[in-house]
């Protein structure tokens, strides 16, 4: 479904991604691991066209998307839950969700109502707080809103950047339960996570990114079992 | 003192009319600042050009000796032309003088210097093409002197009522647009967090251009209203009006649409009171002192949010 | 990159040309133009301290120029009956403008750069409005008709009268301003300014008192304008509010930016160009501001670093040259 081939991305003169090659197949949950500044967020932004790759190709459903504007990529069915949530704090919960459906303005009203319904079913709390400003929500609620907002675009591929960041452990489990639910409902997921143990526990496969390159690639089960992965990314000595 | 109190109601009406116009111009500053964190210094000149366009259309109508000039259709016609030209001019400015800078990531003084350049350029372009002498709006042919009503000791002309109504209607329309439509939401989203808006699939450049169009169009409309009211316009009028409107925007809280309207009203009233009770020679000083005091003691303005918090781009 | 000694030779050549210039000038009028170049270059160097070194956009610099001229006029004319000697008045004027720089800077310097720019513009306007209105109730500034009959500079019984004499006086001041600029750039406060210009927060964390450093920049820039103001008043023998309009601030700012903000030689070149162009093209006066506006826009869009690039090595060479 998604394929990155030797993708190189620069921030100014700095080469952040040196050669990233990875694949996500339809229906999967794929986990991208890596330490700080390894290029995980940049990979996500490159897929969505927020930053442009300087070399390599990004393909979605067998079509090149690395020259398309972000808008067109979102329309094709890719959306991102950004790092640290990035809720519109001065907009209401409802408005945040409506922003998520920005590219689907021509969708029939009934369809949009269905999507709101789906999000509110997944996250009943958001339904209670529809008219509250995004900035007044708790951290966990903001994460729900960020996920719900991304779902409003009806993505076939959902990119999630550090969904567990800053959440209490109980909430982390809840978020990953929801990720699994979304996946079962038919959305393919690529998730970037520091919390590798939890992420790998629901993923099919995983990639390890280091210094802008993919250094390890295996099934989630194998990664969880591998000693050097456990030491480097699961915080075990 | 008795004299002063006698003219006070009149001055308050005058202040109200002035204030709605300042508010209308201030909206342009505040909207652009909202999406780009940039002071569009040339906005005063866009207002001035709006006044010239309105004058041009009105003069053409008079020269063509069209019969039955009635404000009910002439005023909307003038406004429409002025808003269209001013709006497009704003989009051009954005495209050629500011966009290359913000795409390069220049956030400090570059855009402001470019805007100062644009302001001086437009001012002198009008001076060179239209001459330095002032132009006269034939307002009296449109609004006969007898059209006025007496309210609480003030004699209010029909024109003032039209001004307040037009400005009020436009502010209300803008407010509805920004609060209730998808376009308005995308403007707010870009103002709050440009990158996340892009992630939602918002075409950020287009939203910024549309914001310039809207803000500039309102400035152009204000130009027509001021032209009709003062009846004399010149190429330099945008400079002080622009500074005062900027003061209004800052006073209300820059980036805040309601704040711009409120700031405009407050400034208009304060200025008319200063003229009533003080020395008219210093009426422009009042605005600057308000600006400086606001920035020093309450930089967030009356309704504003914390400016420091929004420094990131 | 040019060889290290290159710029030094250019500077010597320019200096020599400047000294023998009046001998080559076709007439007295052009000597006057050359004097104006020196006067404006001095002002531009002062603004460059604020804009180029410290990165603070001052849109009301002309206020200091105006204050300087008027203080000179107060102390050396029949207006108040004071006729203090030139070399007493100039230091007083410099102190007065530096203090006015502090007064304007103190309440506003914690503002963000773009707000600061608008506030300085506001102060410029207020200064102009005061100059034009303070003839009533007590006549202080002479109002719109200004102050006339200002004393020319006199030194040990010799009174300046010819343009050539003024030219050499202004040239000497310009040389001093250049030397002062180079020294300032490499002084403690110069480094602080540079740090503030690049990243104010970082400068703060390095222990730089940014408020004090910015105030120093304002006071220093203003004092250059004090010298310029004294010269203008004593040369014109009169001062009017119209000498100190906003467009004059833009004129000086354009000189700084055209040459390359922070680049000393560039600032002098910018002043030379912008003073000479209107003289060469007679019709230019009408289009002068139109061209300036376009120039500011185009420079910011196409070449924000100015016509002459400034970088570390260039600065070093420039310093050696001066």
């Amino acid at each position: 479904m998604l394929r990155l081939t030797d993708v190189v991305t620069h921030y100014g003169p700095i080469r952040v991604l040196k050669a990233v090659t990875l694949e996500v197949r339809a229906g999967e949950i794929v986990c991208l691991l890596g330490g700080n500044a390894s290029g995980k967020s940049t990979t996500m932004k490159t897929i969505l066209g927020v930053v442009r790759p300087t070399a390599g190709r990004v393909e979605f459903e067998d079509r090149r998307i690395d020259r398309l504007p972000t808008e067109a990529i979102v329309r094709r069915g890719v959306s991102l839950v950004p790092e640290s949530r990035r809720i519109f704090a001065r907009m209401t919960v409802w408005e945040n969700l409506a922003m998520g459906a920005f590219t689907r303005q021509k969708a029939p009203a009934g369809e949009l109502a269905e999507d709101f319904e789906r999000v509110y079913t997944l996250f009943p709390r958001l339904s209670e707080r529809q008219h509250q400003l995004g900035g007044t929500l708790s951290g966990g609620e903001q994460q729900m809103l960020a996920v719900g907002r991304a779902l409003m675009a009806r993505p076939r591929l959902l990119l999630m950047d550090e969904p567990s960041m800053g959440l209490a452990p109980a909430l982390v489990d809840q978020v990953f339960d929801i990720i699994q639910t979304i996946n079962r409902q038919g959305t393919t997921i690529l998730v970037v996570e520091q919390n590798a143990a939890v992420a790998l526990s629901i993923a099919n496969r995983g990639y390890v990114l280091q210094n802008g390159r993919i250094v390890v690639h295996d099934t989630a089960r194998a990664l969880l079992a591998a000693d050097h992965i456990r030491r480097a990314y699961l915080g075990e000595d | 003192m008795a004299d002063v109190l006698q003219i006070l109601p009149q001055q308050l009406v005058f202040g109200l009319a002035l204030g709605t116009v300042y508010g209308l111009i201030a909206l342009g500053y505040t909207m652009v600042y909202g999406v780009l964190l940039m002071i569009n210094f040339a906005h005063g000149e866009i207002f001035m050009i709006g006044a010239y366009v309105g004058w041009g259309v009105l003069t053409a109508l008079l020269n063509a000796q069209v019969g039955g000039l009635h404000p009910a259709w002439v005023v909307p016609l003038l406004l429409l032309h002025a808003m269209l030209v001013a709006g497009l001019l704003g989009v051009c400015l954005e495209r050629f003088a500011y966009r290359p800078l913000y795409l390069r990531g220049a956030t400090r003084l570059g855009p402001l210097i470019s805007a100062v350049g644009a302001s001086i350029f437009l001012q002198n372009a009008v001076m060179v093409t239209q001459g330095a002498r002032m132009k006269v709006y034939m307002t009296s042919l449109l609004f006969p002197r007898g059209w006025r009503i007496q309210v609480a000791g003030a004699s209010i002309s029909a024109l003032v009522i039209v001004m307040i109504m037009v400005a009020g209607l436009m502010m209300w329309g803008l407010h509805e647009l920004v609060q209730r439509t998808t376009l308005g939401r995308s403007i707010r989203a870009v103002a709050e967090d440009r990158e996340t808006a892009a992630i939602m699939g918002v075409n950020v450049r287009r939203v910024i251009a549309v914001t310039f169009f809207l803000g500039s169009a309102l400035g152009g409309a204000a130009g027509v209203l001021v032209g009709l009211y003062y009846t004399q316009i010149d190429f330099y009028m945008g400079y002080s009006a622009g500074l005062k409107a900027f003061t209004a925007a800052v006073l209300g809280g820059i980036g805040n649409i309601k704040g711009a309207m409120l700031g405009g009203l407050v400034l208009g009233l304060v200025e008319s009171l200063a003229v009533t009770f003080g020395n008219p020679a210093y009426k422009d000083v009042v605005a600057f002192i308000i600006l400086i005091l606001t920035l020093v003691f309450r930089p967030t303005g009356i309704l504003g949010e914390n400016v420091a918090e929004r420094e990131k781009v | 990159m040019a060889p290290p000694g290159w710029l030094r030779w250019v500077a010597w050549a320019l200096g020599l040309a400047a000294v023998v210039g009046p001998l080559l000038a076709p007439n007295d009028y052009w000597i006057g133009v050359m004097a104006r170049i020196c006067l404006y270059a001095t002002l531009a160097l002062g603004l460059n301290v604020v804009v180029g070194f410290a990165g603070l956009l001052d849109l009301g610099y002309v206020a200091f120029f105006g204050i300087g001229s008027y203080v000179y006029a107060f102390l050396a004319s029949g207006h108040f009956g004071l006729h203090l000697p030139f070399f007493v008045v100039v230091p007083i004027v410099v102190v007065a403008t530096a203090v006015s720089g502090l007064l304007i800077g103190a309440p506003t310097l914690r503002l963000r750069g773009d707000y600061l720019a608008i506030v300085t513009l506001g102060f410029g306007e207020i200064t102009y409005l005061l100059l034009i209105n303070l003839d009533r109730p007590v006549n202080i500034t002479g109002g719109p008709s200004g102050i006339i009959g200002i004393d020319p500079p006199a030194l040990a019984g010799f009174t300046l009268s010819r343009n050539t004499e003024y030219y050499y006086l202004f040239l000497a001041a310009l040389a001093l301003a250049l030397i002062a600029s180079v020294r300032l750039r490499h002084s403690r406060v110069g480094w602080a300014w540079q740090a503030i210009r690049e990243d104010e927060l970082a400068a703060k964390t390095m222990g730089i008192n940014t408020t004090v450093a910015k105030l120093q920049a304002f006071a220093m820039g203003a004092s250059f304008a004090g010298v310029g103001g004294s010269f203008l008043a004593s040369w014109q023998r009169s001062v009017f509010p119209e000498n100190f309009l906003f467009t004059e601030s833009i004129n000086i700012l354009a000189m700084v930016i055209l040459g390359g903000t922070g680049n000393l030689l560039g600032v002098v070149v910018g002043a030379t160009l912008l003073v000479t162009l209107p003289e060469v093209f007679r019709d230019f006066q009408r289009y002068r501001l139109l061209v300036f506006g376009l120039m500011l826009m185009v420079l910011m869009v196409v070449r924000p670093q100015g016509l002459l690039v400034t970088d570390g090595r260039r600065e070093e060479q420039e310093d050696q040259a001066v």
Side-chain angles (χ1 to χ4, degrees):
Chain A
M1 180 176 227
L2 175 77
R3 188 181 296 118
L4 275 71
T5 316
D6 293 323
V7 169
V8 181
T9 302
H10 285 78
Y11 271 134
I14 306 159
R15 201 156 54 123
V16 187
L17 300 187
K18 287 161 191 156
V20 174
T21 300
L22 61 80
E23 194 186 353
V24 181
R25 293 190 276 264
E28 279 190 315
I29 298 180
V30 173
C31 177
L32 186 59
L33 304 175
N36 286 323
S38 57
K40 292 170 302 184
S41 293
T42 308
T43 306
M44 296 298 218
K45 287 181 191 169
T46 306
I47 296 171
L48 208 63
V50 177
V51 290
R52 296 252 161 248
T54 30
R57 348 169 20 108
V58 182
E59 288 153 292
F60 178 65
E61 294 176 333
D62 299 322
R63 284 208 213 126
R64 271 191 90 153
I65 57 168
D66 50 81
R67 295 279 172 267
L68 296 180
T70 304
E71 188 193 345
I73 299 174
V74 176
R75 270 182 216 285
R76 288 185 181 215
V78 185
S79 42
L80 169 66
V81 181
E83 191 180 358
S84 61
R85 311 186 256 279
R86 306 282 282 267
I87 290 304
F88 296 114
R90 290 191 293 265
M91 291 188 177
T92 65
V93 168
W94 186 90
E95 286 176 326
N96 267 279
L97 292 175
M99 277 311 296
F102 183 81
T103 53
R104 299 178 48 228
Q105 282 163 51
K106 293 196 183 80
E111 210 178 291
L112 280 179
E114 255 170 53
D115 293 329
F116 272 105
E117 225 15 73
R118 177 186 176 207
V119 170
Y120 288 149
T121 317
L122 272 174
F123 307 106
R125 287 291 276 282
L126 295 184
S127 157
E128 291 161 27
R129 310 202 163 204
Q130 286 191 56
H131 302 298
Q132 220 167 301
L133 290 184
T136 64
L137 301 182
S138 72
E141 288 165 345
Q142 289 194 0
Q143 186 62 60
M144 293 173 195
L145 181 54
V147 175
R149 188 176 61 180
L151 288 177
M152 289 299 291
R154 286 213 171 169
R156 288 193 296 283
L157 173 65
L158 182 61
L159 310 173
M160 303 182 89
D161 198 346
E162 306 268 5
S164 78
M165 191 160 55
L167 296 184
L171 283 173
V172 172
D173 287 340
Q174 208 183 323
V175 166
F176 278 90
D177 284 347
I178 287 166
I179 296 176
Q180 255 183 321
T181 312
I182 294 167
N183 179 245
R184 286 201 195 104
Q185 289 172 358
T187 308
T188 309
I189 289 169
L190 173 62
V191 57
V192 157
E193 223 358 292
Q194 295 263 4
N195 196 336
V198 188
L200 286 173
S201 72
I202 61 159
N204 303 91
R205 292 182 303 116
Y207 290 83
V208 175
L209 193 61
Q210 211 171 59
N211 266 324
R213 287 175 210 280
I214 298 288
V215 290
V216 179
H217 159 217
D218 215 329
T219 62
R221 197 182 299 266
L223 288 173
L224 274 170
D227 274 355
H228 60 286
I229 301 292
R230 299 174 70 95
R231 271 200 300 278
Y233 300 105
L234 305 186
E236 293 177 17
D237 287 312
Chain B
M1 199 65 200
D3 289 352
V4 168
L5 285 181
Q6 221 160 36
I7 62 167
L8 186 61
Q10 199 71 52
Q11 286 297 321
L12 286 179
V13 171
F14 167 70
L16 192 67
L18 201 62
T20 49
V21 171
Y22 285 156
L24 212 52
I25 311 172
L27 284 172
Y29 284 105
T30 234
M31 289 175 69
V32 164
Y33 193 89
V35 292
L36 273 186
L37 291 189
M38 172 206 157
I39 299 172
N40 180 14
F41 195 84
H43 187 58
E45 273 58 47
I46 288 179
F47 152 83
M48 175 269 291
I49 287 170
Y52 268 82
V53 171
W55 169 81
V57 174
L58 182 59
T59 308
L61 284 177
L62 293 173
N63 287 346
Q65 300 191 317
V66 180
L69 288 184
H70 192 277
W73 65 271
V74 174
V75 171
L77 190 74
L78 303 186
L79 288 173
L80 195 71
H81 279 85
M83 290 174 80
L84 208 61
V85 172
L88 291 177
L89 189 62
V91 172
C92 287
L93 266 189
E94 189 273 334
R95 179 65 190 81
F96 296 109
Y98 308 148
R99 187 183 293 183
L101 289 153
Y102 80 70
L103 288 185
R104 196 168 57 219
T107 56
R108 286 167 48 87
L109 300 180
L112 183 58
I113 294 175
S114 187
V116 170
S119 154
I120 294 165
F121 174 77
L122 292 175
Q123 218 176 75
N124 286 277
V126 170
M127 192 265 278
V128 167
T129 56
Q130 301 295 315
R133 290 181 53 195
M134 60 177 119
K135 307 286 182 193
V136 179
Y137 264 73
M138 299 305 247
T139 310
S140 54
L141 296 181
L142 217 49
F143 290 91
R145 295 206 187 283
W147 290 11
R148 30 180 70 244
I149 54 168
Q150 306 291 328
V151 178
S155 166
I156 306 172
S157 71
L159 175 60
V160 165
I161 295 169
V162 168
M163 269 172 86
I164 294 175
M165 268 169 47
V166 168
L169 204 67
M170 283 184 180
M171 288 181 187
W172 173 80
L174 183 77
H175 183 260
E176 290 298 297
L177 175 85
V178 166
Q179 288 302 323
R180 299 207 197 285
T181 66
T182 309
L183 174 65
R185 269 199 299 279
S186 63
I187 291 175
R188 282 188 290 147
V190 169
E192 194 172 329
D193 185 342
R194 202 186 292 177
E195 192 181 270
T196 306
I199 285 170
M200 303 290 115
V202 175
N203 184 337
V204 173
R205 289 184 205 181
R206 223 187 71 204
V207 168
I208 291 175
V210 169
T211 307
F212 266 88
F213 182 88
L214 290 173
S216 303
L218 295 179
V224 172
L225 297 180
V226 165
L228 285 171
Y229 187 71
Y230 284 102
T231 68
Q232 291 172 344
I233 59 169
D234 60 42
F235 69 97
Y236 204 62
M237 69 190 280
Y239 176 66
S240 79
L243 278 172
K244 284 179 193 170
F246 176 75
T247 302
V250 169
L251 181 63
I254 194 144
N256 184 315
I257 287 177
K258 278 184 209 155
M261 308 176 194
L262 182 66
L265 281 181
V266 172
L267 190 68
L269 288 173
V270 168
E271 201 178 300
S272 67
L273 290 180
V275 173
T276 315
F277 293 106
N279 183 346
Y282 292 110
K283 81 177 162 66
D284 288 352
V285 176
V286 173
F288 290 124
I289 289 175
I290 290 179
L291 175 66
I292 292 162
L293 291 179
T294 314
L295 285 175
V296 171
F297 291 107
R298 194 176 159 78
T300 58
I302 304 172
L303 298 181
E305 292 125 20
N306 193 353
V307 179
E309 172 213 346
R310 306 199 53 212
E311 272 197 44
K312 65 153 184 59
V313 174
Chain C
M1 209 68 207
W6 175 83
L7 210 71
R8 171 172 248 167
W9 286 109
V10 172
W12 277 112
L14 282 178
L16 191 70
V19 171
V20 300
L23 304 174
L24 306 171
N27 52 39
D28 191 58
Y29 177 79
W30 276 96
I31 297 175
V33 172
M34 287 166 64
R36 266 224 324 282
I37 291 175
C38 293
L39 176 63
Y40 275 94
T42 306
L43 288 169
L45 284 172
L47 183 59
N48 183 56
V49 170
V50 185
V51 180
F53 290 177
L56 305 167
L57 183 55
D58 183 348
L59 292 178
Y61 186 66
V62 76
F64 303 126
F65 187 33
I67 292 169
S69 297
Y70 269 81
V71 172
Y72 183 91
F74 293 158
L75 299 178
S77 74
H79 187 66
F80 290 134
L82 288 169
H83 293 280
L84 302 181
F86 185 73
F87 287 98
V88 174
V89 180
V90 173
I92 298 176
V93 172
V94 168
V95 171
T97 47
V99 169
S100 68
L102 293 179
L103 289 179
I104 288 176
T108 55
L109 279 176
R110 61 194 184 87
L111 298 173
R112 276 181 37 152
D114 44 4
Y115 283 98
L116 178 73
I118 302 288
V119 171
T120 53
L121 189 155
F123 274 120
E125 288 303 297
I126 291 177
T127 307
Y128 169 74
L129 287 169
L130 289 178
L131 292 181
I132 205 164
N133 284 310
L134 275 185
D135 52 345
R136 279 166 297 143
V138 185
N139 187 3
I140 301 173
T141 62
S145 44
I147 297 173
I148 52 170
I150 297 170
D151 305 343
L155 176 63
F158 175 75
T159 304
L160 266 63
S161 59
R162 291 164 49 218
N163 274 347
T164 316
E165 293 154 9
Y166 280 101
Y167 170 72
Y168 283 113
L169 175 68
F170 295 177
L171 184 65
L174 172 59
L176 278 176
L178 274 169
I179 292 167
S181 293
V182 169
R183 303 212 115 179
L184 278 170
R185 184 153 73 192
H186 293 291
S187 66
R188 254 180 78 80
V189 69
W191 291 114
W193 289 336
Q194 202 172 322
I196 291 171
R197 183 184 69 192
E198 296 309 323
D199 186 341
E200 186 166 351
L201 199 69
K204 263 186 197 150
T205 59
M206 281 157 58
I208 292 169
N209 186 334
T210 55
T211 310
V212 170
K214 285 176 177 180
L215 279 177
Q216 283 167 319
F218 254 73
M220 189 57 69
S223 61
F224 279 53
V227 175
S230 306
F231 287 179
L232 179 83
S234 65
W235 186 30
Q236 252 183 201
R237 312 283 305 272
S238 57
V239 288
F240 306 101
E242 308 307 317
N243 294 132
F244 311 107
L245 287 168
F246 173 61
T247 49
E248 200 64 8
S249 284
I250 294 302
N251 194 0
I252 302 169
L253 182 68
M255 293 170 186
V256 174
I257 290 170
L258 180 67
T261 321
N263 178 326
L264 301 180
L265 206 60
V267 170
V268 177
V269 172
T272 309
L273 279 177
L274 294 191
V275 172
T276 319
L277 279 178
E279 303 295 339
V280 179
F281 303 104
R282 279 280 146 161
D283 291 336
F284 191 75
Q285 194 55 32
R286 184 171 157 82
Y287 300 100
R288 187 177 62 112
L289 286 167
L290 189 77
V291 173
F292 282 5
L294 196 62
M295 186 194 87
L296 286 179
M297 264 194 291
V298 171
L299 272 177
M300 284 304 111
V301 170
V302 181
R303 210 176 158 73
Q305 68 274 42
L307 287 184
L308 302 174
V309 189
T310 175
D311 64 39
R313 280 173 68 198
R314 183 60 159 272
E315 287 191 0
E316 288 306 314
Q317 291 178 12
E318 208 176 85
D319 293 349
Q320 286 170 10
V322 176

